[in-house]
Amino acid sequence: MSAELLKKHKIRVTPFRIKVLSVFKKTHSALSLSDLESGIGEFDRVTLYRTIKTFLDKGIIHEILMPGDIKKMALCQDGCNTHLHDHKHLHFHCDSCQETFCIDLPAYPEIVLDGFDIKQIEIQAQGVCKNCG
Amino acid sequence: MSAELLKKHKIRVTPFRIKVLSVFKKTHSALSLSDLESGIGEFDRVTLYRTIKTFLDKGIIHEILMPGDIKKMALCQDGCNTHLHDHKHLHFHCDSCQETFCIDLPAYPEIVLDGFDIKQIEIQAQGVCKNCG
DNA sequence: TCATATTTGCAATTTTGTTGCATTTGTTTA
DNA sequence: TAAACAAATGCAACAAAATTGCAAATATGA
Ligand SMILES: [Mn+2]
Ligand SMILES: [Mn+2]
Ligand SMILES: [Zn+2]
Ligand SMILES: [Zn+2]
């Protein structure tokens, strides 16, 4: 339940935040800013920007940036918070339907680079998704 | 030489384009828009936007999008063009110096996802770079 | 129910990106 | 090497996106 999620992250439960979360929960794919805007209905843009910022800070949502200037957002799984914001999953963007999905991998690739201390790896894939293929 | 690069991609050799390329060639890391702006000196913003668009279209530069809304650009290696814009290298962002590097990997990871037709994979890594570590 | 910090909504402003158009410039051809 | 012409530039106007300050509203704990 959305109110619980907000409480868990120690921020206040407000109608606007609940509304934004409901838009996220309604879909299986990641949302662009304009997806969100049209999902919300009437809204004040400043409040939306601030809500997104808060959700990102608190580890409630994460950003997905893909080649082609595609920028989306998706709910984090349990466990993310202000300090820990790590996702061991892949982001797939479908060139056909333009949807972006978070996909868990059976095995997350390990990469070692001499001299570099790799703290986190993100994988972005493009192609044709299950639904479109 | 920069003029050759432009000719290879069938676009005209102009002072502005040469200047922009020289900024890219001066550094080993990827550049943000404002890096470019300060590197160029005086410039017209419209021309810069159009130059960037042309360079992206032609496969002269590529965009790098990293978690945290980080957006940079870097020169492509030989072989990219309007139709083929694929890079088998990793993008590493250093949390300490904030620089972003294109790094060739000895072996590029293969990923298979049931039902998905993966055409391209991008890997972004974060941590501490060789210089800072 | 009250006190208070948080959140919201609005106006004003700034920053970023786009469009149209006249002028200039690079390249090709004769 | 001059002329022809398409491509590129620079400027002004515009449009869209994002930020800031502040007063009013509201969620929460006491
Ligand atoms: Mn994700
Ligand atoms: Mn690169
Ligand atoms: Zn699809
Ligand atoms: Zn570094």
Side-chain angles (χ1 to χ4, degrees):
Chain A
M1 192 228 204
S2 294
E4 300 311 313
L5 180 59
L6 295 171
K7 280 177 191 158
K8 199 180 90 184
H9 291 278
K10 305 239 168 41
I11 58 174
R12 292 190 177 176
V13 178
T14 69
F16 191 84
R17 288 173 176 166
I18 295 287
K19 179 73 200 171
V20 171
L21 287 179
S22 81
V23 178
F24 276 108
K25 293 194 172 173
K26 220 182 315 196
T27 177
H28 296 289
S29 55
L31 300 172
S32 68
L33 181 61
S34 58
D35 291 338
L36 255 188
E37 290 181 345
S38 43
I40 295 173
E42 18 119 9
F43 69 101
D44 174 69
R45 189 189 295 263
V46 179
T47 308
L48 180 55
Y49 286 139
R50 287 195 274 225
T51 301
I52 289 171
K53 186 172 190 308
T54 303
F55 284 8
L56 288 169
D57 286 350
K58 299 292 177 179
I60 294 173
I61 62 175
H62 62 284
E63 278 183 331
I64 303 168
L65 295 147
M66 303 281 287
D69 251 311
I70 295 160
K71 185 174 161 182
K72 306 226 176 179
M73 292 162 277
L75 288 174
C76 294
Q77 50 276 78
D78 301 342
C80 283
N81 57 56
T82 310
H83 305 291
L84 186 101
H85 221 328
D86 201 355
H87 295 266
K88 289 250 178 303
H89 64 243
L90 167 151
H91 291 137
F92 183 94
H93 181 79
C94 177
D95 297 327
S96 168
C97 64
Q98 308 298 320
E99 308 250 313
T100 304
F101 306 94
C102 299
I103 299 173
D104 282 309
L105 288 180
Y108 207 71
E110 291 279 326
I111 291 176
V112 177
L113 266 184
D114 206 48
F116 291 80
D117 178 11
I118 296 181
K119 298 245 168 69
Q120 199 174 138
I121 291 177
E122 294 256 337
I123 299 178
Q124 309 173 333
Q126 276 181 45
V128 180
C129 80
K130 218 164 190 166
N131 308 320
C132 296
Chain B
M1 190 224 204
S2 295
E4 298 312 314
L5 180 59
L6 294 171
K7 280 177 191 157
K8 199 180 89 185
H9 290 278
K10 304 237 170 38
I11 58 173
R12 293 190 174 173
V13 179
T14 69
F16 191 84
R17 287 172 176 168
I18 295 288
K19 180 72 200 171
V20 170
L21 286 179
S22 81
V23 178
F24 276 109
K25 292 193 171 172
K26 218 182 318 193
T27 177
H28 296 288
S29 55
L31 300 172
S32 67
L33 181 60
S34 58
D35 291 338
L36 256 187
E37 289 181 346
S38 43
I40 295 172
E42 18 122 6
F43 69 101
D44 174 67
R45 193 197 316 229
V46 179
T47 307
L48 180 55
Y49 284 137
R50 288 195 274 224
T51 301
I52 289 171
K53 187 173 187 310
T54 302
F55 284 8
L56 288 170
D57 285 351
K58 298 293 177 180
I60 295 173
I61 61 174
H62 62 283
E63 278 184 332
I64 303 168
L65 296 146
M66 304 278 292
D69 247 311
I70 294 160
K71 185 175 161 183
K72 306 225 176 179
M73 293 162 277
L75 289 174
C76 293
Q77 52 275 79
D78 301 341
C80 282
N81 57 56
T82 309
H83 306 292
L84 187 101
H85 220 329
D86 203 354
H87 295 268
K88 289 253 177 301
H89 64 243
L90 167 151
H91 292 137
F92 183 93
H93 181 80
C94 176
D95 297 328
S96 168
C97 64
Q98 306 298 319
E99 308 251 314
T100 304
F101 307 93
C102 298
I103 299 173
D104 282 309
L105 287 180
Y108 207 73
E110 291 279 326
I111 290 175
V112 177
L113 265 184
D114 207 46
F116 290 80
D117 178 12
I118 297 182
K119 298 244 167 69
Q120 197 175 138
I121 291 177
E122 296 253 336
I123 300 178
Q124 332 273 42
Q126 276 180 45
V128 181
C129 80
K130 218 164 189 165
N131 308 321
C132 297

